[in-house]
Amino acid sequence: MAEANAGHEVSYGDDLWTQRASDRIREIFERECEVFFVFNGTSANSLSLASLCQSYNSVLCHELAHVEMSECGAPEFFANGSKILLLKGANGKIDPAEIEPAVKKRTDIHYPKPRALSITQATEVGTVYSVAEVQRLAETARTFGLHLQMDGARFANAVAALGAAPADLTWRSGVDVLCFGGSKNGIALGEAVVFFDRELARDFDYRCKQGGQLASKMRFLSAPWLGMLKDGAWLRHAGHANEMAKRLEAGLRPIRGVQIVHPVQSNSVFARLPSSIEEKLRARGWHFYTGVITPDEARLMCSWDTTPEDVDDFVADVKELAG
Ligand SMILES: Cc1ncc(COP(=O)(O)O)c(C=O)c1O
């Protein structure tokens, strides 16, 4: 970002930084994909889903999905009323068997016609879909004429966890469009919307502009991607965050009264803590959500800059307060 701040550049994404960052993403995904940089994950999800749907369509997603739970209705708003339909599945992952009944529940003119499947990688509860699981979901989606969109706010964590090629986890498995997270992997702000099916990206630039997502000084959104994607920094940072979550899990698991709720596969630990200690932890300066995504679980997130000492200090406080 500091380098991009030197001199002048062409505006609205026609600059060299944006060109280079897009090319780097194409290299990483081994595909001539279309790339758009936007300010945040809500707009990336909403605008990409809007590009897959007409207003009378619906989007299938997991009942805990960010697009359902945490985007204030933005996907429905930007898609002019497309409806979100919810699927179940253990540990935040869609059970593929849920798709057919959801699609066939109603096929009459009075029901919003399913047109897209949205999956989150890594999921809202920190689990990851394997390549085979993505393929299975994509095959099922294809059977029913659904496009496949991936909310990859934490895609880097999933890639680092699985050690899979980004291409295998996305387009080679049938993903049409990926919202590739930047903010959660350490850059100041911004996400990349990556269309593997270029036809679906038609007029997406207009959608971005109308949705308030076309940055005039685009280079400040795109240039940091070059830093993040250089020399594998994105995977090192994500791998570090994942490692810290494993350390946190290992520290918390033996403590009496603490229950780890979901398999720890990326950078988050969902834990039931004795309710008597939550406020005391907060009083000591620890910040975490309880009850946002799931009813009574503390959502403990590790990031690229979480240190082993941070983790050990938290575990020591839980241990002491839990008696
Ligand atoms: C799964 C998921 N998708 C998308 C987002 C992006 O949201 P925002 O609009 O806050 O950047 C988040 C942020 O928490 C998320 O967890």
Short mmCIF file of all heavy atoms in Angstrom, two decimals, residues 228-265:
data_model
loop_
_atom_site.label_atom_id
_atom_site.label_comp_id
_atom_site.label_asym_id
_atom_site.label_seq_id
_atom_site.Cartn_x
_atom_site.Cartn_y
_atom_site.Cartn_z
N MET A 228 0.33 -9.55 -0.03
CA MET A 228 -0.20 -10.72 0.67
C MET A 228 0.08 -12.02 -0.10
O MET A 228 0.34 -13.06 0.49
CB MET A 228 -1.71 -10.54 0.88
CG MET A 228 -2.32 -11.58 1.78
SD MET A 228 -4.07 -11.25 2.07
CE MET A 228 -4.79 -12.11 0.70
N LEU A 229 0.04 -11.91 -1.43
CA LEU A 229 0.19 -13.13 -2.24
C LEU A 229 1.64 -13.40 -2.64
O LEU A 229 1.93 -14.38 -3.33
CB LEU A 229 -0.69 -13.03 -3.50
CG LEU A 229 -2.20 -12.92 -3.23
CD1 LEU A 229 -2.96 -12.72 -4.53
CD2 LEU A 229 -2.73 -14.14 -2.49
N LYS A 230 2.54 -12.52 -2.18
CA LYS A 230 3.95 -12.67 -2.55
C LYS A 230 4.61 -13.74 -1.68
O LYS A 230 4.39 -13.78 -0.47
CB LYS A 230 4.65 -11.32 -2.34
CG LYS A 230 6.00 -11.22 -2.99
CD LYS A 230 6.47 -9.78 -2.90
CE LYS A 230 7.96 -9.72 -2.66
NZ LYS A 230 8.41 -8.37 -2.42
N ASP A 231 5.39 -14.57 -2.29
CA ASP A 231 6.20 -15.56 -1.56
C ASP A 231 5.38 -16.40 -0.59
O ASP A 231 5.88 -16.78 0.48
CB ASP A 231 7.33 -14.86 -0.76
CG ASP A 231 8.22 -14.03 -1.66
OD1 ASP A 231 8.35 -14.39 -2.84
OD2 ASP A 231 8.76 -13.01 -1.18
N GLY A 232 4.13 -16.63 -0.90
CA GLY A 232 3.31 -17.50 -0.05
C GLY A 232 2.93 -16.92 1.30
O GLY A 232 2.51 -17.65 2.21
N ALA A 233 3.04 -15.56 1.44
CA ALA A 233 2.73 -14.95 2.74
C ALA A 233 1.29 -15.28 3.17
O ALA A 233 1.02 -15.53 4.34
CB ALA A 233 2.92 -13.44 2.68
N TRP A 234 0.37 -15.31 2.20
CA TRP A 234 -1.05 -15.55 2.55
C TRP A 234 -1.21 -16.91 3.23
O TRP A 234 -1.95 -17.04 4.21
CB TRP A 234 -1.96 -15.39 1.33
CG TRP A 234 -1.81 -16.40 0.23
CD1 TRP A 234 -0.72 -16.60 -0.56
CD2 TRP A 234 -2.80 -17.33 -0.23
NE1 TRP A 234 -0.97 -17.60 -1.49
CE2 TRP A 234 -2.24 -18.06 -1.31
CE3 TRP A 234 -4.11 -17.61 0.14
CZ2 TRP A 234 -2.94 -19.05 -2.01
CZ3 TRP A 234 -4.81 -18.60 -0.55
CH2 TRP A 234 -4.22 -19.30 -1.61
N LEU A 235 -0.49 -17.91 2.74
CA LEU A 235 -0.65 -19.24 3.33
C LEU A 235 0.15 -19.37 4.63
O LEU A 235 -0.26 -20.09 5.54
CB LEU A 235 -0.24 -20.32 2.32
CG LEU A 235 -1.19 -20.42 1.12
CD1 LEU A 235 -0.71 -21.47 0.14
CD2 LEU A 235 -2.61 -20.74 1.59
N ARG A 236 1.28 -18.66 4.71
CA ARG A 236 2.03 -18.67 5.97
C ARG A 236 1.20 -18.04 7.08
O ARG A 236 1.09 -18.58 8.17
CB ARG A 236 3.32 -17.86 5.82
CG ARG A 236 4.55 -18.67 5.54
CD ARG A 236 5.84 -17.91 5.80
NE ARG A 236 5.86 -16.52 5.45
CZ ARG A 236 6.03 -16.04 4.21
NH1 ARG A 236 6.16 -16.87 3.19
NH2 ARG A 236 6.06 -14.74 3.98
N HIS A 237 0.58 -16.90 6.78
CA HIS A 237 -0.22 -16.21 7.79
C HIS A 237 -1.43 -17.06 8.20
O HIS A 237 -1.75 -17.17 9.38
CB HIS A 237 -0.70 -14.87 7.26
CG HIS A 237 0.40 -13.86 7.14
ND1 HIS A 237 0.26 -12.67 6.48
CD2 HIS A 237 1.67 -13.87 7.60
CE1 HIS A 237 1.39 -11.98 6.54
NE2 HIS A 237 2.26 -12.70 7.21
N ALA A 238 -2.09 -17.62 7.19
CA ALA A 238 -3.28 -18.44 7.49
C ALA A 238 -2.87 -19.69 8.26
O ALA A 238 -3.55 -20.10 9.21
CB ALA A 238 -3.99 -18.80 6.19
N GLY A 239 -1.76 -20.29 7.85
CA GLY A 239 -1.28 -21.49 8.54
C GLY A 239 -0.93 -21.19 9.98
O GLY A 239 -1.21 -21.98 10.89
N HIS A 240 -0.36 -20.02 10.20
CA HIS A 240 -0.03 -19.61 11.57
C HIS A 240 -1.32 -19.48 12.40
O HIS A 240 -1.39 -19.97 13.54
CB HIS A 240 0.74 -18.29 11.57
CG HIS A 240 0.88 -17.69 12.93
ND1 HIS A 240 1.83 -18.10 13.84
CD2 HIS A 240 0.13 -16.75 13.58
CE1 HIS A 240 1.69 -17.44 14.96
NE2 HIS A 240 0.65 -16.60 14.83
N ALA A 241 -2.32 -18.82 11.83
CA ALA A 241 -3.59 -18.65 12.55
C ALA A 241 -4.19 -20.01 12.89
O ALA A 241 -4.69 -20.23 14.01
CB ALA A 241 -4.56 -17.82 11.71
N ASN A 242 -4.13 -20.92 11.93
CA ASN A 242 -4.67 -22.27 12.18
C ASN A 242 -3.90 -22.97 13.31
O ASN A 242 -4.50 -23.64 14.16
CB ASN A 242 -4.54 -23.14 10.91
CG ASN A 242 -5.42 -22.65 9.77
OD1 ASN A 242 -6.23 -21.75 9.95
ND2 ASN A 242 -5.25 -23.24 8.59
N GLU A 243 -2.60 -22.78 13.28
CA GLU A 243 -1.75 -23.42 14.31
C GLU A 243 -2.10 -22.88 15.70
O GLU A 243 -2.13 -23.63 16.68
CB GLU A 243 -0.31 -23.04 13.98
CG GLU A 243 0.70 -24.16 14.11
CD GLU A 243 2.05 -23.60 13.71
OE1 GLU A 243 2.35 -23.60 12.50
OE2 GLU A 243 2.78 -23.14 14.60
N MET A 244 -2.35 -21.59 15.76
CA MET A 244 -2.70 -20.98 17.05
C MET A 244 -4.04 -21.54 17.56
O MET A 244 -4.23 -21.73 18.76
CB MET A 244 -2.76 -19.45 16.94
CG MET A 244 -1.41 -18.79 16.72
SD MET A 244 -0.20 -19.13 18.04
CE MET A 244 0.81 -20.38 17.28
N ALA A 245 -4.95 -21.81 16.63
CA ALA A 245 -6.24 -22.38 17.04
C ALA A 245 -6.04 -23.78 17.59
O ALA A 245 -6.68 -24.18 18.58
CB ALA A 245 -7.21 -22.39 15.86
N LYS A 246 -5.16 -24.54 16.98
CA LYS A 246 -4.85 -25.89 17.48
C LYS A 246 -4.26 -25.80 18.89
O LYS A 246 -4.58 -26.60 19.77
CB LYS A 246 -3.84 -26.59 16.55
CG LYS A 246 -4.45 -27.09 15.26
CD LYS A 246 -5.14 -28.43 15.49
CE LYS A 246 -5.72 -28.96 14.19
NZ LYS A 246 -6.92 -29.78 14.38
N ARG A 247 -3.38 -24.83 19.08
CA ARG A 247 -2.76 -24.65 20.39
C ARG A 247 -3.82 -24.29 21.43
O ARG A 247 -3.80 -24.78 22.57
CB ARG A 247 -1.70 -23.52 20.27
CG ARG A 247 -0.86 -23.32 21.50
CD ARG A 247 0.11 -22.17 21.25
NE ARG A 247 1.00 -21.95 22.37
CZ ARG A 247 2.26 -22.40 22.43
NH1 ARG A 247 2.75 -23.06 21.41
NH2 ARG A 247 3.01 -22.17 23.50
N LEU A 248 -4.74 -23.43 21.01
CA LEU A 248 -5.81 -23.01 21.91
C LEU A 248 -6.69 -24.21 22.27
O LEU A 248 -7.05 -24.41 23.44
CB LEU A 248 -6.63 -21.91 21.21
CG LEU A 248 -7.80 -21.30 21.98
CD1 LEU A 248 -7.33 -20.70 23.30
CD2 LEU A 248 -8.46 -20.20 21.12
N GLU A 249 -7.02 -24.99 21.27
CA GLU A 249 -7.84 -26.18 21.53
C GLU A 249 -7.13 -27.11 22.52
O GLU A 249 -7.72 -27.57 23.50
CB GLU A 249 -8.09 -26.95 20.22
CG GLU A 249 -8.91 -28.19 20.44
CD GLU A 249 -8.85 -29.17 19.26
OE1 GLU A 249 -7.99 -29.02 18.37
OE2 GLU A 249 -9.67 -30.11 19.27
N ALA A 250 -5.84 -27.34 22.27
CA ALA A 250 -5.08 -28.26 23.12
C ALA A 250 -5.02 -27.72 24.55
O ALA A 250 -5.07 -28.50 25.52
CB ALA A 250 -3.67 -28.44 22.57
N GLY A 251 -4.95 -26.41 24.70
CA GLY A 251 -4.89 -25.83 26.04
C GLY A 251 -6.24 -25.89 26.75
O GLY A 251 -6.32 -26.11 27.96
N LEU A 252 -7.32 -25.69 26.00
CA LEU A 252 -8.65 -25.60 26.63
C LEU A 252 -9.26 -26.96 26.92
O LEU A 252 -9.97 -27.15 27.91
CB LEU A 252 -9.61 -24.83 25.71
CG LEU A 252 -9.38 -23.32 25.55
CD1 LEU A 252 -10.39 -22.74 24.56
CD2 LEU A 252 -9.48 -22.60 26.89
N ARG A 253 -9.00 -27.92 26.02
CA ARG A 253 -9.70 -29.20 26.09
C ARG A 253 -9.63 -29.88 27.48
O ARG A 253 -10.64 -30.35 27.99
CB ARG A 253 -9.17 -30.15 25.00
CG ARG A 253 -10.18 -31.17 24.55
CD ARG A 253 -9.67 -31.98 23.39
NE ARG A 253 -10.14 -31.56 22.09
CZ ARG A 253 -11.39 -31.70 21.66
NH1 ARG A 253 -12.30 -32.25 22.43
NH2 ARG A 253 -11.73 -31.29 20.45
N PRO A 254 -8.44 -29.91 28.13
CA PRO A 254 -8.39 -30.61 29.42
C PRO A 254 -9.04 -29.86 30.58
O PRO A 254 -9.18 -30.44 31.67
CB PRO A 254 -6.87 -30.74 29.69
CG PRO A 254 -6.16 -30.15 28.54
CD PRO A 254 -7.13 -29.42 27.70
N ILE A 255 -9.44 -28.61 30.37
CA ILE A 255 -9.96 -27.84 31.51
C ILE A 255 -11.39 -28.27 31.85
O ILE A 255 -12.25 -28.33 30.96
CB ILE A 255 -9.93 -26.32 31.20
CG1 ILE A 255 -8.49 -25.88 30.91
CG2 ILE A 255 -10.52 -25.52 32.35
CD1 ILE A 255 -8.35 -24.42 30.48
N ARG A 256 -11.62 -28.59 33.12
CA ARG A 256 -12.93 -29.05 33.55
C ARG A 256 -13.99 -27.97 33.30
O ARG A 256 -13.74 -26.79 33.56
CB ARG A 256 -12.90 -29.42 35.04
CG ARG A 256 -14.05 -30.31 35.47
CD ARG A 256 -13.71 -31.20 36.66
NE ARG A 256 -12.73 -30.62 37.58
CZ ARG A 256 -13.05 -29.91 38.67
NH1 ARG A 256 -14.31 -29.69 38.98
NH2 ARG A 256 -12.11 -29.44 39.45
N GLY A 257 -15.12 -28.38 32.75
CA GLY A 257 -16.19 -27.41 32.49
C GLY A 257 -16.12 -26.77 31.12
O GLY A 257 -17.00 -26.02 30.72
N VAL A 258 -15.03 -27.04 30.38
CA VAL A 258 -14.91 -26.48 29.03
C VAL A 258 -15.20 -27.58 28.02
O VAL A 258 -14.72 -28.70 28.15
CB VAL A 258 -13.48 -25.93 28.78
CG1 VAL A 258 -13.31 -25.49 27.33
CG2 VAL A 258 -13.18 -24.78 29.72
N GLN A 259 -16.01 -27.23 27.04
CA GLN A 259 -16.34 -28.21 26.00
C GLN A 259 -16.05 -27.62 24.62
O GLN A 259 -16.54 -26.53 24.30
CB GLN A 259 -17.83 -28.54 26.13
CG GLN A 259 -18.26 -29.74 25.36
CD GLN A 259 -19.79 -29.83 25.32
OE1 GLN A 259 -20.49 -29.13 26.06
NE2 GLN A 259 -20.31 -30.67 24.46
N ILE A 260 -15.23 -28.32 23.85
CA ILE A 260 -14.96 -27.88 22.48
C ILE A 260 -16.10 -28.41 21.61
O ILE A 260 -16.38 -29.61 21.62
CB ILE A 260 -13.60 -28.42 21.96
CG1 ILE A 260 -12.46 -28.05 22.92
CG2 ILE A 260 -13.32 -27.93 20.54
CD1 ILE A 260 -12.15 -26.58 23.05
N VAL A 261 -16.75 -27.53 20.88
CA VAL A 261 -18.01 -27.91 20.25
C VAL A 261 -17.87 -28.45 18.83
O VAL A 261 -18.57 -29.37 18.44
CB VAL A 261 -18.99 -26.71 20.27
CG1 VAL A 261 -20.34 -27.12 19.73
CG2 VAL A 261 -19.12 -26.16 21.67
N HIS A 262 -16.98 -27.86 18.05
CA HIS A 262 -16.82 -28.30 16.65
C HIS A 262 -15.37 -28.72 16.42
O HIS A 262 -14.47 -28.22 17.10
CB HIS A 262 -17.17 -27.16 15.69
CG HIS A 262 -18.58 -26.67 15.84
ND1 HIS A 262 -19.67 -27.41 15.46
CD2 HIS A 262 -19.06 -25.52 16.36
CE1 HIS A 262 -20.77 -26.73 15.72
NE2 HIS A 262 -20.44 -25.58 16.27
N PRO A 263 -15.15 -29.62 15.46
CA PRO A 263 -13.76 -29.96 15.15
C PRO A 263 -12.98 -28.69 14.80
O PRO A 263 -13.48 -27.82 14.08
CB PRO A 263 -13.89 -30.86 13.91
CG PRO A 263 -15.30 -31.35 13.91
CD PRO A 263 -16.12 -30.30 14.60
N VAL A 264 -11.78 -28.58 15.33
CA VAL A 264 -10.96 -27.39 15.06
C VAL A 264 -10.12 -27.67 13.81
O VAL A 264 -9.17 -28.45 13.85
CB VAL A 264 -10.06 -27.05 16.28
CG1 VAL A 264 -9.14 -25.88 15.96
CG2 VAL A 264 -10.94 -26.73 17.49
N GLN A 265 -10.53 -27.06 12.71
CA GLN A 265 -9.87 -27.37 11.43
C GLN A 265 -9.27 -26.14 10.76
O GLN A 265 -8.60 -26.24 9.74
CB GLN A 265 -10.87 -28.05 10.48
CG GLN A 265 -11.32 -29.40 11.01
CD GLN A 265 -12.43 -30.05 10.20
OE1 GLN A 265 -13.09 -29.39 9.39
NE2 GLN A 265 -12.64 -31.33 10.42
#
